[in-house]
Each structure stands twice: as C-alpha cells, then as structure tokens.
Amino acid sequence: MLTEEEYITLHSSPQPDTLAALYRHTHLTRLYPRMCCDPLQGRLLVMLTRMIRPRRILELGTFSGYSSLCFAEGMPADAQLHTVEIDDEAEHALREVFDASPWADRIHLHIGDALDVVPHLGGMFDLVYIDANKRIYTDYYEMVKPLVPPGGFIFADNTLWSDAVLDPDAKHDAQTLGIRRFNDLVAADPDVEQVILPLYDGLTLIRKK
C-alpha cells in the first residue's frame, strides 16, 4: 500500500532530470542533506512562483541551489533571482550549478551573511524565501518585510521544525526557539495574512496586506 506522500508524488508533476541529479548529488556529498528542498516542495515552489509572477525574488539560504532553480524555473522571463549564501566554500559549486542552468544570466549569487548583504541590494522584492539560520528568522523577517510591497509574498521554510515547535513546555535548542519566535511574530502581525502548510518540514506562506 502506498503512503500518502508516495501517492501525492505519483500524481504530481515530476522534478526535471537536472534537479533529480542535483538532489541526489546533494545527498551524496553534502553534510546535512536534509537541508535541501524536498522534490515535492520544489514542485510547489515552481507552481506558486508561476502563480505570483514575481519580477524580483530574494532567497536567504542557497545551500546546494535546488530551491533556487525551482524559483528560476517558475519565474517570468524578465524576472531576476537574488540568492544569498553564507558558506563561502560552497560558492564555486553553486556557480557551476547556476551557470549550467538556462537562467544563468538571471540568477545572482551573493556570498555573505544575509543581514549584511541584503541592505546593499537595493529595490523591492515581490517574493522573499527565508531558509537560512533558524535562530534569527525574526531578524530576517524584520529586515525583508519593508522590502516587500503590498500584495507581495514571504515564504519561510522549516516552520514546523520536525514538530519540535509543538510543545511549548519543552526545553529546546536555539534553532527551535528561533522558529517558535518567528511563528509567533508572524501570527501576531496585523500587516500580513499567513498560513502554515504541513508539507515536509512546514512551509509558511505570508502575504503582505
């Protein structure tokens, strides 16, 4: 008997071969490969990007570039993606991945701490994806919120954090506490509407009013 996830995967559009190869390579060569976007979630990111049709996308946390390519796949032909990765040792591999893609001239990789990099990028972003240091999700949110116009979107990954956020009385690590602070901050923010999707490790969709 199929699991629910297997059934959903069989009845959803498959990931392209290039992304399947990148996903496999990530799991074979990278520490903490679970940080890579799940293929089903990747198809959702493509679909949502096609629906929103953003002209400028900002991604915080590139990792192996999987989610970056999903956004690039879904964005309009005149759109630009800026992605920020703090691990400078990943720069060469990421540039190889992006240069080999059909969107090489529209993906802009920035190496450094997002809190330092983003203020120097300039302009507004129609879609922001937060998937970096869980301890400071609230800092990221407060930084990017003014850069998103009314009607724009912020997505945040890992907002269920393996369900660790569900027990308010448990003693948690700094990452869990950071995610919980972020979830509480967004839920109390009158400027946005939001929904947490229980997909993979939790994906929060936030729309600025």
Side-chain angles (χ1 to χ4, degrees):
M1 181 177 175
L2 294 175
T3 66
E4 181 180 271
E5 182 174 350
E6 289 170 337
Y7 184 87
I8 291 172
T9 299
L10 285 173
H11 292 82
S12 299
S13 298
Q15 61 180 337
D17 291 343
T18 53
L19 277 181
L22 177 58
Y23 187 79
R24 184 174 186 275
H25 183 264
T26 300
H27 280 72
L28 289 174
T29 63
R30 296 293 298 269
L31 291 174
Y32 312 112
R34 192 171 180 272
M35 290 170 58
C36 183
C37 179
D38 177 77
L40 182 59
Q41 182 172 323
R43 292 301 90 197
L44 176 62
L45 295 180
V46 174
M47 181 72 76
L48 291 172
T49 305
R50 293 196 197 283
M51 294 167 66
I52 296 170
R53 298 188 60 80
R55 290 301 185 270
R56 290 188 89 211
I57 303 172
L58 172 63
E59 177 183 44
L60 308 185
T62 317
F63 193 48
S64 64
Y66 189 99
S67 55
S68 309
L69 294 184
C70 291
F71 285 117
E73 180 184 342
M75 67 188 185
D78 59 347
Q80 303 287 321
L81 167 65
H82 292 265
T83 182
V84 185
E85 173 56 45
I86 197 169
D87 182 8
D88 58 355
E89 293 184 355
E91 180 176 5
H92 179 71
L94 285 171
R95 294 201 184 280
E96 283 191 337
V97 167
F98 295 152
D99 288 347
S101 77
W103 312 282
D105 60 334
R106 295 190 289 125
I107 300 177
H108 309 284
L109 174 65
H110 307 274
I111 300 297
D113 188 322
L115 295 178
D116 297 327
V117 171
V118 173
H120 298 285
L121 296 181
M124 303 290 282
F125 294 93
D126 307 296
L127 173 59
V128 176
Y129 184 57
I130 300 174
D131 189 18
N133 187 345
K134 315 307 172 190
R135 299 170 180 84
I136 54 173
Y137 260 33
T138 54
D139 295 338
Y140 296 143
Y141 182 71
E142 290 169 349
M143 175 181 67
V144 302
K145 183 183 169 185
L147 305 180
V148 176
F153 289 83
I154 300 171
F155 297 167
D157 198 16
N158 305 116
T159 49
L160 292 180
W161 203 233
S162 300
D163 292 339
V165 297
L166 300 181
D167 185 354
D169 299 320
K171 292 182 179 180
H172 290 306
D173 59 88
Q175 292 182 318
T176 302
L177 294 175
I179 293 291
R180 284 178 54 193
R181 283 194 300 268
F182 171 79
N183 290 342
D184 292 343
L185 176 64
V186 173
D189 188 346
D191 297 330
V192 300
E193 52 189 358
Q194 68 285 328
V195 61
I196 298 178
L197 301 180
L199 176 67
Y200 195 42
D201 200 26
L203 177 66
T204 298
L205 311 182
I206 305 164
R207 179 182 179 274
K208 192 171 180 180
K209 296 179 182 177

